[in-house]
Amino acid sequence: MAMGKYSRVDGRKSSNYCSIVTVVVFVALSLVGAWMFMSSSVPVQNSDSPSQEIVNDLKRVASENNSKQFEDSPGDLPEDATKGDSNSTVDSQSDSQSDVHDDQNVTEKESESTVEDNNDEKTESKNMVEENHEKTESQEEQKTETENNEDGKTEDRESNSEAREMQAQGYETNKSEQTESEESSGENANENNQEGATENNVDTQENDQTSIDILPAGAQSELLNETDTQKGAWSTQAVESQNEKISQKSSISKDQYGHEWKLCNVTAGPDYVPCLDNWYVIRRLPSTKHYEHRERHCPQEAPTCLVSVPEGYKRSIKWPKSREKIWYYNVPHTKLAKIKGHQNWVKVSGEYLTFPGGGTQFKHGALHYIDFIQDSHPDIAWGKRTRVILDVGCGVASFGGYLFERDVLAMSFAPKDEHEAQVQFALERGIPAMLAVMGTKRLPFPSSVFDVVHCARCRVPWHIEGGKLLLELNRVLRPGGYFIWSATPVYRKVPEDVGIWKAMSKLTKSMCWDLVVIKEDTLDGVSAAIYRKPTSNNCYSNRPQNEPPLCKESDDPNAAWNVPLEACMHKVPEEASVRGSRWPEQWPQRLEKPPYWLNSQVGVYGKAALEDFVADYNHWKNVVSQSYLNGMGINWSSVRNIMDMRAVYGGFAAALKDLKVWVMNVVPIDSADTLPIIYERGLFGMYHDWCESFNTYPRTYDLLHADHLFSSLKKRCNLVAVIAEVDRILRPEGNLIVRDKVEIIGEIESLAKSLKWKIQMIYSKDSEGLLCVRKTMWRPTESEAIMSAII
């Protein structure tokens, strides 16, 4: 009221001196009244400067009223995070400085007006009016500035969590981890997988509480000082965060390359495996006699769409509870429960699928069956002599799941066939498994690496066509290793089984396998035959007939990627310095001791192989203990299934040996063939071409690790398709760790943001970078039809 009146008085002109004096007195009283009114409602900060105090209080009240809904305290942020961005709006510190500057200007004007008042009352009246007019403009300008800055402040608040994540040291979202823990144990309500609810949930988790974890530099680390502030990424976080917020309102996400993410419209829906669901090729196969329709048939172009998530999907239950039960809606298939429930494979129990631990040949539980095998032939020595095994036709992999209690790793595999989702059940339970079939091609493993091969009624016709399939097992079985066969031909006397047993007996004898024992399990009513592969070539040369024949000298037994099967046997290595001539050290000594056959070789990194091996192991122990376990914001208690997408010596997996996890070590087909070393250490893995899809179901791994993988893939693969495959494999709330060149880190970061993944840590030094991201539940709503995958 007073300011408006002053404006009108300023427009009036009167020669009456008394009128002027009256107006001046009235104005002065009005100012005093306004000040008293404001001081009674706003605490006094500086009694010496009432005019300055009024301006400050008015500004503060206006600012609080206009921005109250966006309140945030920067107290939990590092210093760098509160400095803001050169492209963003004025931050709170500059606002405060601007306030002080404005107040000082007002005070100076008041002092100037007071001097003029002593000289001339008429001039005083005019100056006082102009002064208050300027105050009014200043306050209005400040109010307008506050309102205009609301969007900018909102942007700053909403990008705070991401700004924290983008610091070099990395940050952990403790409350998010707590929520994940509750969900995993089944104590939380169902997770909403709709886009809007997911975004709100993630925002809430990240804004609740954040702690800073320093990444200590390790002597062996390639990234020497992980506490340095990351430069470049932070400078654009406010802008990029706001752009992401806007893009989330759309059903399609675009990255900087203009790629549009869409859902894969395919017959398999949320179970889509691109190289196993290529119905365009499957329908045109000339024959399916040798299970060609279960083998890999990759589309000409790797898909760049995203696989949908089953309705009602939740974060997987933690190990070891997951071995006994999983969420039904994560793998909503009941066919196996109907046809195999009486054999204790799987049962439906409310919102869970439960696994009593049985199997076709061990209805009374896998642990009893495991002990039965040990008792049948003690030299097997689970967890000492026998560490890595291959389980053929694994079902839901309960055998492998309970072998963990004996310190044994089982590579379990089965085809994607009428036994609906059996491998998916296994992986959801936290048990290693992969999709594969004994068909026309070699398995993706080196020769002579498995300590034991197991088949419990695995439905494989070992004896036909010259024993071609059993000869493939002979290739991957370590000399001196065991083949355990507990199928019906071992103990049933029906004509079909008797005929198969006779054919198998003839074949195994001609392969020089020694039938060690046939033992009956009276509890389960089954028997097991245990064979042993020879450790020398004497038997081969003394056979009356060269059937099956020995392979040609030029045939590489380690060649395994898309190599056709042949009905031949490779000679057993006998030279002392050659791999396979001696049994590895017992577990766990074999994990850390370099293989004896590395002596004469040059390592991957250019040094002597033994020196390379030791340096690699020390490097990964340092990186895992000082960075990965503490500075990535990863909730390791929720991590079970891990994949090293570019394993070298298996050092990363070896460094995790004390955690309740297992690691699938993948050696890309264009990398140095170090997979035999990984098996020699008591670990396991397989070959793969990352330009194609991996033989696993969607949402089956908690953590993927890629060490300098993407820079090599970019030369020959579509990087967008590779990231789409990573998204397919990774579980929602799972993590991807990337170590690579800086330019590759930038591309992966951009693609991750377009997928609405959360950047948990990013760091770069010189030409090397490190990135950790977390997948969210976000899915686009528009779809893309993949015609090759539609029946």
Side-chain angles (χ1 to χ4, degrees):
M1 295 294 291
M3 288 184 288
K5 188 171 183 179
Y6 280 119
S7 298
R8 289 194 297 271
V9 169
D10 186 54
R12 295 176 183 174
K13 294 182 180 180
S14 174
S15 59
N16 192 325
Y17 179 81
C18 293
S19 298
I20 293 176
V21 172
T22 302
V23 169
V24 170
V25 172
F26 182 81
V27 168
L29 290 174
S30 298
L31 282 173
V32 173
W35 171 73
M36 293 179 65
F37 174 80
M38 293 301 297
S39 63
S40 65
S41 59
V42 182
V44 176
Q45 297 179 1
N46 186 356
S47 58
D48 295 331
S49 304
S51 298
Q52 177 180 347
E53 173 190 284
I54 293 172
V55 173
N56 284 337
D57 289 337
L58 285 173
K59 287 182 178 181
R60 182 170 59 81
V61 171
S63 177
E64 289 176 352
N65 290 338
N66 285 315
S67 61
K68 188 175 182 179
Q69 58 180 320
F70 304 122
E71 283 181 354
D72 187 32
S73 173
D76 60 343
L77 294 179
E79 181 180 353
D80 291 10
T82 61
K83 291 182 180 178
D85 177 65
S86 59
N87 296 325
S88 62
T89 55
V90 179
D91 61 15
S92 59
Q93 292 180 359
S94 60
D95 283 342
S96 177
Q97 293 172 356
S98 177
D99 290 346
V100 173
H101 181 69
D102 291 344
D103 295 342
Q104 289 174 348
N105 288 342
V106 172
T107 304
E108 290 173 359
K109 291 179 181 179
E110 288 178 345
S111 300
E112 182 180 352
S113 298
T114 303
V115 172
E116 292 179 354
D117 179 60
N118 293 332
N119 294 327
D120 183 58
E121 292 184 12
K122 185 174 182 180
T123 305
E124 173 196 58
S125 175
K126 182 177 181 180
N127 286 344
M128 289 179 65
V129 172
E130 289 177 348
E131 168 204 302
N132 284 280
H133 181 65
E134 289 173 1
K135 287 182 183 179
T136 303
E137 290 179 345
S138 176
Q139 292 171 352
E140 291 297 328
E141 179 181 356
Q142 178 63 29
K143 183 176 180 181
T144 303
E145 180 183 9
T146 302
E147 293 172 347
N148 290 340
N149 281 344
E150 284 180 4
D151 291 342
K153 291 180 180 179
T154 305
E155 171 188 318
D156 291 340
R157 306 302 195 271
E158 291 170 343
S159 64
N160 273 343
S161 61
E162 186 171 358
R164 300 182 189 105
E165 292 164 348
M166 294 300 294
Q167 299 302 305
Q169 291 84 0
Y171 302 94
E172 288 187 283
T173 309
N174 296 333
K175 193 154 188 174
S176 174
E177 294 174 1
Q178 181 181 356
T179 304
E180 290 173 2
S181 174
E182 292 172 352
E183 290 172 353
S184 300
S185 61
E187 295 174 3
N188 260 12
N190 289 357
E191 210 173 87
N192 190 335
N193 64 342
Q194 296 179 354
E195 177 185 350
T198 302
E199 292 171 355
N200 291 336
N201 183 41
V202 173
D203 287 344
T204 301
Q205 290 175 345
E206 292 202 357
N207 287 329
D208 280 344
Q209 182 177 352
T210 302
S211 65
I212 303 173
D213 287 282
I214 303 300
L215 298 181
Q220 302 286 337
S221 179
E222 295 171 356
L223 306 180
L224 300 180
N225 187 4
E226 296 184 358
T227 60
D228 287 348
T229 302
Q230 198 275 338
K231 299 177 181 179
W234 166 245
S235 65
T236 60
Q237 282 312 291
V239 174
E240 290 177 358
S241 179
Q242 180 66 10
N243 291 340
E244 282 189 24
K245 195 71 177 179
I246 295 172
S247 69
Q248 288 175 7
K249 297 178 181 179
S250 171
S251 61
I252 303 176
S253 176
K254 276 191 176 184
D255 65 24
Q256 64 180 347
Y257 308 107
H259 179 75
E260 296 182 352
W261 294 112
K262 296 183 180 180
L263 284 179
C264 300
N265 180 9
V266 293
T267 299
D271 298 335
Y272 179 44
V273 184
C275 289
L276 298 179
D277 292 318
N278 188 351
W279 290 100
Y280 177 83
V281 173
I282 293 173
R283 283 193 296 259
R284 290 163 175 78
L285 290 173
S287 172
T288 59
K289 179 181 178 181
H290 298 98
Y291 303 97
E292 291 91 343
H293 57 304
R294 306 297 186 195
E295 294 183 320
R296 291 172 61 85
H297 303 285
C298 298
Q300 291 184 347
E301 293 187 6
T304 57
C305 54
L306 307 181
V307 177
S308 59
V309 175
E311 185 177 354
Y313 180 90
K314 300 182 186 181
R315 183 67 189 268
S316 299
I317 295 173
K318 292 182 181 181
W319 179 269
K321 290 183 178 179
S322 61
R323 187 171 59 183
E324 279 74 43
K325 65 179 181 179
I326 63 173
W327 296 114
Y328 166 76
Y329 286 107
N330 286 15
V331 192
H333 299 293
T334 59
K335 184 177 180 180
L336 271 183
K338 294 176 182 177
I339 64 176
K340 294 291 186 179
H342 67 287
Q343 296 175 348
N344 286 331
W345 278 39
V346 57
K347 298 178 182 293
V348 180
S349 179
E351 60 181 345
Y352 300 105
L353 291 168
T354 59
F355 300 85
T360 303
Q361 300 301 89
F362 40 92
K363 299 177 184 178
H364 292 88
L367 279 177
H368 166 76
Y369 178 73
I370 290 167
D371 291 339
F372 157 70
I373 293 173
Q374 175 78 56
D375 294 339
S376 300
H377 189 58
D379 285 351
I380 287 178
W382 296 126
K384 294 182 175 61
R385 183 184 190 273
T386 298
R387 165 62 180 175
V388 185
I389 79 164
L390 181 67
D391 188 17
V392 183
C394 62
V396 296
S398 290
F399 179 62
Y402 284 90
L403 276 171
F404 278 109
E405 297 190 14
R406 303 292 186 265
D407 273 342
V408 175
L409 280 179
M411 174 73 80
S412 303
F413 77 89
K416 191 180 184 186
D417 61 6
E418 65 273 7
H419 285 109
E420 189 179 50
Q422 53 187 337
V423 168
Q424 192 174 14
F425 284 140
L427 288 161
E428 184 68 19
R429 296 172 69 189
I431 302 172
M434 59 173 286
L435 290 164
V437 65
M438 301 292 298
T440 67
K441 299 177 181 179
R442 289 180 177 177
L443 296 170
F445 312 121
S447 67
S448 304
V449 290
F450 289 103
D451 305 333
V452 164
V453 176
H454 173 257
C455 164
R457 205 171 180 177
C458 53
R459 301 175 63 191
V460 178
W462 301 116
H463 61 290
I464 67 172
E465 298 183 346
K468 184 181 292 187
L469 300 181
L470 193 63
L471 290 168
E472 173 60 4
L473 295 189
N474 184 75
R475 182 184 71 86
V476 300
L477 182 62
R478 191 182 297 278
Y482 295 100
F483 174 60
I484 303 171
W485 190 39
S486 62
T488 56
V490 177
Y491 55 92
R492 283 186 181 174
K493 302 305 178 183
V494 299
E496 181 183 6
D497 287 329
V498 171
I500 294 174
W501 173 254
K502 289 182 179 180
M504 277 288 288
S505 296
K506 180 181 179 180
L507 175 61
T508 54
K509 185 177 181 179
S510 66
M511 292 170 58
C512 296
W513 282 10
D514 180 26
L515 178 56
V516 177
V517 66
I518 299 177
K519 189 70 177 282
E520 180 184 2
D521 178 9
T522 56
L523 180 63
D524 284 324
V526 302
S527 295
I530 301 177
Y531 299 86
R532 186 173 185 263
K533 180 179 175 178
T535 57
S536 73
N537 295 309
N538 294 335
C539 176
Y540 296 151
S541 58
N542 294 329
R543 292 181 301 168
Q545 292 182 344
N546 190 30
E547 290 292 337
L550 293 176
C551 299
K552 298 177 181 179
E553 293 291 336
S554 60
D555 191 307
D556 184 359
N558 293 312
W561 187 250
N562 288 331
V563 176
L565 290 179
E566 291 188 66
C568 67
M569 295 186 300
H570 297 90
K571 286 185 178 181
V572 172
E574 292 182 316
E575 190 176 341
S577 61
V578 177
R579 181 177 70 86
S581 62
R582 288 159 46 186
W583 198 262
E585 298 286 332
Q586 288 197 352
W587 180 262
Q589 288 79 12
R590 65 191 284 185
L591 179 71
E592 299 186 2
K593 188 173 182 178
Y596 64 89
W597 41 269
L598 283 182
N599 290 328
S600 59
Q601 299 186 25
V602 177
V604 173
Y605 303 113
K607 302 177 183 178
L610 288 176
E611 185 180 351
D612 245 16
F613 179 93
V614 173
D616 178 81
Y617 186 34
N618 289 335
H619 163 76
W620 286 113
K621 284 193 296 184
N622 184 70
V623 169
V624 168
S625 63
Q626 297 194 37
S627 295
Y628 287 7
L629 295 183
N630 299 313
M632 295 289 192
I634 297 172
N635 180 14
W636 286 93
S637 67
S638 297
V639 174
R640 172 64 180 172
N641 305 353
I642 300 176
M643 181 185 292
D644 192 353
M645 299 176 71
R646 184 181 173 270
V648 180
Y649 295 119
F652 169 63
L656 295 171
K657 64 182 177 66
D658 294 329
L659 300 184
K660 298 298 183 182
V661 301
W662 60 268
V663 181
M664 179 68 78
N665 294 281
V666 179
V667 173
I669 61 171
D670 58 348
S671 296
D673 186 5
T674 54
L675 195 52
I677 300 174
I678 292 171
Y679 275 93
E680 198 80 2
R681 303 184 73 171
L683 307 171
F684 62 12
M686 61 179 287
Y687 299 113
H688 183 61
D689 182 358
W690 282 114
C691 293
E692 303 173 356
S693 71
F694 192 80
N695 270 20
T696 189
Y697 280 94
R699 304 170 304 281
T700 46
Y701 283 82
D702 301 299
L703 187 147
L704 300 185
H705 181 258
D707 180 29
H708 291 81
L709 170 70
F710 296 109
S711 54
S712 62
L713 289 179
K714 191 177 179 182
K715 301 173 184 177
R716 61 187 186 88
C717 308
N718 180 355
L719 201 57
V720 174
V722 177
I723 294 300
E725 176 64 4
V726 169
D727 177 271
R728 189 185 72 86
I729 296 172
L730 198 58
R731 287 172 171 167
E733 304 302 324
N735 292 95
L736 168 67
I737 300 175
V738 182
R739 304 171 73 92
D740 219 310
K741 298 178 181 178
V742 169
E743 57 269 23
I744 295 296
I745 293 294
E747 291 187 46
I748 302 302
E749 179 193 8
S750 176
L751 289 170
K753 288 182 177 180
S754 72
L755 287 164
K756 309 297 182 290
W757 292 5
K758 296 302 175 183
I759 311 298
Q760 292 188 261
M761 200 279 287
I762 185 168
Y763 167 77
S764 64
K765 182 176 178 62
D766 299 330
S767 61
E768 294 294 315
L770 178 64
L771 174 69
C772 180
V773 295
R774 188 178 76 244
K775 179 180 174 180
T776 66
M777 286 287 291
W778 177 84
R779 296 288 88 178
T781 56
E782 293 196 12
S783 62
E784 172 187 358
I786 308 299
M787 301 310 298
S788 63
I790 296 176
I791 301 177

